[in-house]
Amino acid sequence: MGGGHHAKPEHLLCTLPFPNDLSIKPILERIKKNHPQVEITYRDLSAQDPFAKDSGIPEDDWKSATIVVTLSALPPNAALVPNLKLIHFFSAGTNHISSHPIYTDSKIPLTTSSGIHGPQIAEWVILTSLVSSHSYHSLHEWQKAHTWGTPGSQHSRLCSIRDNASQRLGVLGYGSIGRQVGRVAKAMGMDVIAYTASPRNTPESKKDPGFIVPGTGDPEGEFPSAWYSGLDKASLHNFLKQDIDWLVLSVPLTKETTHFLGKAEFDILSNKNAFISNISRGQIIVQDELIAALKAYAAADEATANPHPDPADPEPPTASTEGLAIVEGGTKRPGLRGAALDVTDPEPLPKESELWDAPNCIVTPHISGLGKTYADRAFQVLEVNLGRIERGEGLINVVDREKGY
């Protein structure tokens, strides 16, 4: 337990876009019990835009706060928060406030909730990949039509489904989310390779120093069979050339990673007609060039399909194009066989965007990390750091302002 006799009083100001209801109250009571020196003020911002510049928080709250918990609401400047020693964000990253004076002009420590999203987002990654590779959309159409399958072209496509065993997963950004995806992929028999911004050449450097949900992730960095690193295109291309079947993007959005993947990178990945999952940020990808790569594969797939489909087949949406990179006659298909995107550029995605209808592309509205455990785990990161403050130890999940994450 924290909050010993010598612990200094803290004023914890929560400025969050959801009410202090029955799901939040027990969490705050737990914090008070374990850290009795902490006084808590909760400001419910659910009735307004969580990213509004003026949060409407009373100045007296800012002035007395020693710790702030927020998604995006911040004091206008550091002068208004003379006692502030920590800002804890409910998000995994801080790119959404990187131009704010608190970020650019102050040295107030910032921590994130990185590490809490791994289990939930990894399940979204696996879910959407299997929906694509196992032609689930066709199966669902059969069920809705009360049809016990058909012997035609759609049924033949199911016979060509390839399971994940022995395939290669490339994780671009081997942080907490990437590590949990790697863990699950390894359990499916996949070979996992990792890419990080800086080298991980020693056992110590491969460890995850951040918050870890018990029983998840890759704390020791033991799952990848190989590690690659760098922020330059030559290093990235070397990684992408490693016969990757499935690429997961889980890098933070920085100046270096903006439009990190475009036509040149998709051309490399087309060697295995890779599938791409993006749970990072939409700006990591040059979106129009991704659409072009998806269309190129779909066009080639259509050209090699059975020209005389069984007329008894229902006509569901285009089935998954999961399959071999080599088509009849030994000719490679161009492009990428599919993508699953929980992030887009911009967000919300405009109704007229081509991405909605891109072939074999699953688009969801930035919801992969949502779930009933989100708030509790985000507060758990804070609680770890409350204990560290009381013991005079360094914080976890601290943002490096120069790196941008």
Side-chain angles (χ1 to χ4, degrees), residues 171 173-175 178-179 192-208 218-230 235 238-239 242:
V171 183
Y174 203 64
R179 287 170 185 255
V192 177
I193 61 174
Y195 192 91
T196 56
S198 54
R200 301 286 190 268
N201 297 325
T202 65
E204 189 64 26
S205 68
K206 293 176 182 178
K207 293 181 179 180
D208 185 352
D218 184 7
E220 301 298 318
E222 60 185 348
F223 294 136
S225 60
W227 294 70
Y228 300 82
S229 64
S235 298
N238 181 46
F239 170 69
Q242 305 306 310

Side-chain angles (χ1 to χ4, degrees), residues 71-371:
L71 175 64
S72 58
L74 292 172
N77 53 68
L80 194 59
V81 284
N83 301 305
L84 197 58
K85 64 176 70 171
L86 171 64
I87 300 176
H88 176 61
F89 287 89
F90 257 47
S91 53
T94 54
N95 62 287
H96 59 296
I97 55 94
S98 60
S99 60
H100 193 284
I102 290 292
Y103 190 99
T104 58
D105 302 334
S106 85
K107 294 184 179 180
I108 300 169
L110 313 175
T111 58
T112 71
S113 295
S114 176
I116 74 169
H117 308 81
Q120 188 84 355
I121 293 182
E123 290 183 13
W124 180 95
V125 170
I126 302 300
L127 164 72
T128 50
S129 170
L130 294 179
V131 162
S132 176
S133 66
H134 285 254
S135 293
Y136 175 75
H137 294 304
S138 293
L139 303 180
H140 186 52
E141 288 300 320
W142 285 346
Q143 180 179 349
K144 290 197 298 182
H146 298 191
T147 300
W148 193 251
T150 59
S153 60
Q154 299 293 345
H155 190 278
S156 298
R157 191 181 296 279
L158 295 176
C159 295
S160 69
I161 287 174
R162 167 85 183 274
D163 59 45
N164 282 315
S166 79
Q167 293 202 63
R168 174 165 287 169
L169 172 74
V171 183
L172 185 56
Y174 203 64
S176 59
I177 297 170
R179 287 170 185 255
Q180 177 63 4
V181 175
R183 182 188 190 96
V184 178
K186 195 73 174 177
M188 293 193 296
M190 298 191 76
D191 178 50
V192 177
I193 61 174
Y195 192 91
T196 56
S198 54
R200 301 286 190 268
N201 297 325
T202 65
E204 189 64 26
S205 68
K206 293 176 182 178
K207 293 181 179 180
D208 185 352
F211 180 82
I212 302 172
V213 176
T216 72
D218 184 7
E220 301 298 318
E222 60 185 348
F223 294 136
S225 60
W227 294 70
Y228 300 82
S229 64
L231 289 171
D232 58 285
K233 283 301 182 87
S235 298
L236 174 63
H237 290 180
N238 181 46
F239 170 69
L240 299 179
K241 289 176 181 177
Q242 305 306 310
D243 290 334
I244 292 173
D245 297 289
W246 177 14
L247 180 69
V248 173
L249 308 182
S250 55
V251 294
L253 179 64
T254 65
K255 180 178 65 176
E256 292 83 4
T257 61
T258 299
H259 290 170
F260 210 33
L261 278 81
K263 184 180 185 303
E265 291 70 39
F266 300 144
D267 285 346
I268 296 171
L269 290 167
S270 69
N271 182 55
K272 295 294 291 287
N273 301 127
F275 186 89
I276 290 182
S277 300
N278 188 9
I279 50 80
S280 177
R281 291 292 184 269
Q283 296 93 325
I284 301 292
I285 286 175
V286 182
Q287 201 159 273
D288 289 344
E289 293 173 7
L290 172 65
I291 294 171
L294 294 170
K295 286 182 175 180
Y297 183 89
D301 187 61
E302 180 68 24
T304 57
N306 182 358
H308 304 291
D310 189 329
D313 267 354
E315 296 184 1
T318 303
S320 165
T321 50
E322 170 77 14
L324 301 176
I326 307 297
V327 298
E328 188 176 356
T331 303
K332 283 182 177 290
R333 286 192 182 105
L336 303 175
R337 69 177 183 266
L341 311 173
D342 189 47
V343 289
T344 62
D345 184 17
E347 293 182 13
L349 187 65
K351 289 182 179 295
E352 64 273 13
S353 172
E354 277 192 281
L355 192 63
W356 291 111
D357 300 309
N360 200 30
C361 183
I362 297 171
V363 178
T364 59
H366 208 149
I367 46 73
S368 63
L370 300 183

